[in-house]
């Protein structure tokens, strides 16, 4: 069994990470009711004997003693990390896994990347090496960060290069939260474009998620719940209610519920690596099967049912409907419509009581409505994990390498150019040692090259399919 380390960077990364660890513990507690430290739990947790002095002795089997997350927490402000350490998850982390500063990066990619990167490089390396040493077979680093701020975008992408240099054989999966058009950080287009260049060059897979899609999903859940349809109810103390028990007002940003969606994405993404199933998919298979060209490693994700994410009691969707939902634009975690764009490849990660025949039937049913590149018409990768999410009979995570990510990148470039043409706020970046205006021009050129690659693929969409001869097998 392999292990993975979660590296959560910045305010957003740490808040999502906090949600992830909470849900992971609940999921394993539901499955592992005898409290035995097994291979599934070892994927993300160490079992530590806290009675031992120093680092604590790791226990490879037997009863769970004290679980410690395989995580590194980084933020250049103390607030969120301190909240985690004072909250219910405080015992899952220890001070050896944390790196914090007081001043913050001031929404400036250059401060996070150039200043704090060089300042904390050795400390970060030490924590990563320590986490790696505790793994028998380290397979993947999951980086969780936002693109719009300073620490998440700057230090988060600095970290990617460090990981590539130090652990070249270990996969780097990045969950990147993209800012919406109404983002309250004025410099977020600069930060995002500068970060994109690093993602292009140093990540194996990127799962782009935009805040607007998350907000829309939560709003839809609220709408369904408020409609009073039969069987619809919100569970007490759920993430879609406030502490007072009333529904969150529309003007409030329901960050907890939004972060919960991303945490569930990561849980489902790793379920096949953690639990048994008739058709398992390892994390390395995702990269191998879904990324045909090095830079086209941006995977659009969709989750169904969405209700899992908000503790809402809604009658379960029929199995076939669940597959249809995964390809509708309402279930995508970025604002995109994959059905009207070109697929390079697609993975379906199913959990629960689902048979291989159900998978095949639904793929055959959906195939005519989906357009795949001519050279990969059978570009499906599937997995079946027998353990469903807590409280549900089945779920589906779809990961699509699809040209529908292009509009997100185009909009980002447009917002960047609006600022950059006026050279607005540029001096804040250029006063940082090591930052030059060429950093901006190179970053936007890198993004334009990526957009061009997607455009070239899109141009093949209307071309007639070649009827390639198939190999005849004599029986």
């Amino acid at each position: 069994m392999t292990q993975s380390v979660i590296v959560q960077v910045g305010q957003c990364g740490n808040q999502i990470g906090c949600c992830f660890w909470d849900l992971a513990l609940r999921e394993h507690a539901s499955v592992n009711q005898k409290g035995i430290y097994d291979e599934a739990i070892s994927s993300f947790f160490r079992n530590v004997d806290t009675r031992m002095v120093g680092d604590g002795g790791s226990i490879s089997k037997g009863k769970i003693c004290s679980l410690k997350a395989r995580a590194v927490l980084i933020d250049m402000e103390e607030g969120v990390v301190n909240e985690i350490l004072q909250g219910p998850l405080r015992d899952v982390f220890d001070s050896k896994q944390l790196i914090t500063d007081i001043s913050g990066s001031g929404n400036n990619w250059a401060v996070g990347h150039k200043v704090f990167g060089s300042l904390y490089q050795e400390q970060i390396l030490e924590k990563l090496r320590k986490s790696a040493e505790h793994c028998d077979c380290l397979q993947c680093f999951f980086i969780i960060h936002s693109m719009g701020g300073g620490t998440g975008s700057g230090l988060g992408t600095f970290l990617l290069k460090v990981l590539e240099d130090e652990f070249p054989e270990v996969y780097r999966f990045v969950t990147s939260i993209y800012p919406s058009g109404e983002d309250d950080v004025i410099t977020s287009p600069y930060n995002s474009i500068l970060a994109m260049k690093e993602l292009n060059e140093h990540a194996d897979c990127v799962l782009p998620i935009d805040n607007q899609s998350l907000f829309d999903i939560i709003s839809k859940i609220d709408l369904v719940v408020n409609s009073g349809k039969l069987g619809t109810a919100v569970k007490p103390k759920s993430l879609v209610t406030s502490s007072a028990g009333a529904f969150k007002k529309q003007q409030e940003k329901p960050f907890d519920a939004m972060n919960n969606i991303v945490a569930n994405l990561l849980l489902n993404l790793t379920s096949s690596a953690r639990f048994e199933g008739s058709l398992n998919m390892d994390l390395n298979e995702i990269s191998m099967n879904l990324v045909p060209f090095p830079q086209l490693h941006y995977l659009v994700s969709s989750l169904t049912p969405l209700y899992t994410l908000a503790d809402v009691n809604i009658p379960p969707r029929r199995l076939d409907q669940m597959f249809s939902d995964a390809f509708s634009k309402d279930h995508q975690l970025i604002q995109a419509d994959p059905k009207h764009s070109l697929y390079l490849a697609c993975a379906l990660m199913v959990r629960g009581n689902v048979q291989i025949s159900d998978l095949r039937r639904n793929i055959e049913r959906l195939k005519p409505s989906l357009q795949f590149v001519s050279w990969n018409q059978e570009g499906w990768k599937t997995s079946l994990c027998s353990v469903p999410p807590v409280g549900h009979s089945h779920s589906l995570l779809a990961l699509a390498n699809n040209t529908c990510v292009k509009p997100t990148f185009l909009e980002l470039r447009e917002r960047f150019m609006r600022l950059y043409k006026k050279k607005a706020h540029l001096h804040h970046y250029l006063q940082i040692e090591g930052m030059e205006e060429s950093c901006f021009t190179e970053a936007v050129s890198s993004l334009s090259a990526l957009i061009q690659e997607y455009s070239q693929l899109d141009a093949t969409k209307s071309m007639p399919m070649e009827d390639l001869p198939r190999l005849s097998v004599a029986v």
Side-chain angles (χ1 to χ4, degrees):
M1 185 65 82
T2 58
Q3 292 86 41
S4 296
V5 173
I6 301 264
V7 188
Q8 41 201 68
V9 190
Q11 178 179 333
C12 174
N14 278 291
Q15 285 173 335
I16 292 169
C18 188
C19 264
F20 170 81
W21 294 111
D22 178 48
L23 292 171
L25 285 168
R26 289 171 194 267
E27 185 165 277
H28 284 288
S30 171
V31 174
N32 184 344
Q33 295 182 356
K34 292 182 179 176
I36 302 297
Y37 184 68
D38 59 13
E39 287 187 334
I41 295 179
S42 77
S43 294
F44 281 118
F45 295 94
R46 293 167 55 218
N47 191 22
V48 175
D49 186 348
T50 50
R51 294 168 299 181
M52 292 183 67
V53 184
D55 200 28
S58 291
I59 307 161
S60 58
K61 52 188 172 184
K63 277 281 193 186
I64 291 172
C65 186
S66 176
L67 292 178
K68 295 290 180 188
R70 300 188 190 276
V72 177
L73 284 64
I74 304 169
D75 199 1
M76 295 299 99
E77 292 174 344
E78 295 178 304
V80 175
V81 173
N82 282 346
E83 271 179 45
I84 294 171
L85 295 181
Q86 289 161 16
L89 292 174
R90 59 186 174 274
D91 293 334
V92 179
F93 308 105
D94 61 47
S95 58
K96 298 185 186 71
Q97 296 165 285
L98 317 177
I99 297 173
T100 58
D101 200 288
I102 300 164
S103 58
S105 299
N107 299 140
N108 188 330
W109 180 90
V111 174
H113 199 87
K114 304 285 186 184
V115 177
F116 288 130
S118 57
L119 189 62
Y120 284 98
Q121 182 171 358
E122 284 309 311
Q123 274 192 56
I124 290 170
L125 255 176
E126 184 195 334
K127 311 282 185 200
L128 292 170
R129 284 178 185 143
K130 201 70 171 170
S131 296
E133 283 167 14
H134 289 308
C135 299
D136 296 325
C137 182
L138 175 59
Q139 186 179 41
C140 186
F141 284 105
F142 286 97
I143 296 96
I144 312 173
H145 74 132
S146 73
M147 299 287 279
T151 300
S153 69
L155 195 52
T157 54
F158 176 85
L159 175 79
L160 266 180
K161 180 72 169 72
V162 170
L163 288 171
E164 185 180 45
D165 292 343
E166 188 71 15
F167 305 95
E169 303 302 315
V170 182
Y171 284 93
R172 296 173 300 283
F173 274 63
V174 188
T175 303
S176 301
I177 311 301
Y178 282 69
S180 68
E182 298 166 9
D183 192 67
D184 61 352
V185 177
I186 293 169
T187 54
S188 68
Y190 284 164
N191 298 331
S192 300
I193 298 275
L194 289 162
M196 277 287 294
K197 181 175 183 288
E198 305 300 314
L199 292 181
N200 285 346
E201 293 174 3
H202 306 300
D204 288 308
C205 282
V206 179
L207 304 174
I209 294 163
D210 73 52
N211 267 328
Q212 191 58 50
S213 291
L214 297 178
F215 186 70
D216 290 347
I217 287 168
I218 297 303
S219 299
K220 283 186 191 110
I221 292 172
D222 276 353
L223 201 63
V224 172
V225 170
N226 282 318
S227 69
K229 286 180 182 173
L230 187 66
T232 302
V234 177
K235 299 172 188 175
K237 297 181 182 174
S238 91
L239 288 170
V240 282
T241 57
S242 67
S243 56
F247 293 118
K248 283 183 181 286
K249 295 186 179 71
Q250 197 66 28
Q251 67 265 27
E252 283 183 33
K253 296 271 186 183
F255 287 121
D256 282 347
M258 289 161 69
N259 292 339
N260 207 29
I261 293 174
V262 187
N264 267 284
L265 161 67
L266 291 170
L267 271 187
N268 286 330
L269 181 65
T270 58
S271 61
S272 200
R274 290 179 292 132
F275 299 117
E276 292 299 314
S278 55
L279 195 62
N280 273 15
M281 189 194 301
D282 217 355
L283 291 167
N284 61 354
E285 293 179 66
I286 294 172
S287 178
M288 181 63 70
N289 288 275
L290 296 190
V291 182
F293 307 111
Q295 285 207 323
L296 302 185
H297 54 235
Y298 294 86
L299 307 180
V300 179
S301 50
S302 66
L303 278 171
T304 178
L306 290 168
Y307 327 120
T308 325
L309 316 171
D311 298 340
V312 180
N313 279 324
I314 294 178
R317 304 287 265 172
R318 288 184 301 106
L319 187 63
D320 287 11
Q321 184 60 48
M322 185 178 79
F323 280 89
S324 298
D325 287 346
F327 293 91
S328 79
K329 62 181 181 182
D330 291 343
H331 282 68
Q332 309 305 314
L333 300 192
I334 67 166
Q335 295 197 299
D337 189 0
K339 279 185 101 167
H340 293 98
S341 300
L342 191 66
Y343 281 87
L344 280 70
C346 184
L348 300 177
M349 306 183 77
V350 185
R351 299 183 63 181
N353 185 21
V354 181
Q355 306 304 314
I356 292 176
S357 58
D358 296 321
L359 256 177
R360 287 179 180 152
R361 183 183 74 252
N362 277 286
I363 288 174
E364 289 305 315
R365 178 175 67 85
L366 291 161
K367 259 168 79 171
S369 65
L370 307 172
Q371 194 157 4
F372 276 73
V373 286
S374 59
W375 40 264
N376 198 22
Q377 286 291 301
E378 303 299 323
W380 297 89
K381 181 67 184 168
T382 54
S383 78
L384 288 174
C385 170
S386 56
V387 178
V390 177
H392 285 266
S393 57
H394 47 251
S395 74
L396 169 61
L397 165 64
L399 296 174
N401 195 337
N402 189 296
T403 59
C404 66
V405 295
K406 189 176 76 168
T408 297
F409 299 154
L410 281 167
E411 188 196 343
L412 200 56
R413 185 175 66 180
E414 192 181 310
R415 289 172 56 210
F416 171 90
M417 291 310 295
R418 277 203 294 269
L419 285 176
Y420 188 65
K421 277 177 184 172
K422 300 292 183 187
K423 301 287 190 275
H425 302 281
L426 211 58
H427 62 288
H428 298 300
Y429 293 79
L430 299 181
Q431 68 189 15
I432 304 298
E433 190 179 346
M435 275 301 283
E436 296 172 359
E437 202 162 327
S438 61
C439 296
F440 289 86
T441 53
E442 286 169 14
V444 79
S445 294
S446 171
L447 181 60
S448 294
L450 182 67
I451 290 168
Q452 182 61 25
E453 286 197 56
Y454 283 113
S455 294
Q456 286 170 356
L457 285 164
D458 264 338
T460 68
K461 205 165 56 169
S462 55
M463 289 182 183
M465 265 278 298
E466 290 179 47
D467 194 13
L468 297 172
R470 289 183 174 265
L471 186 68
S472 298
V473 181
V475 180

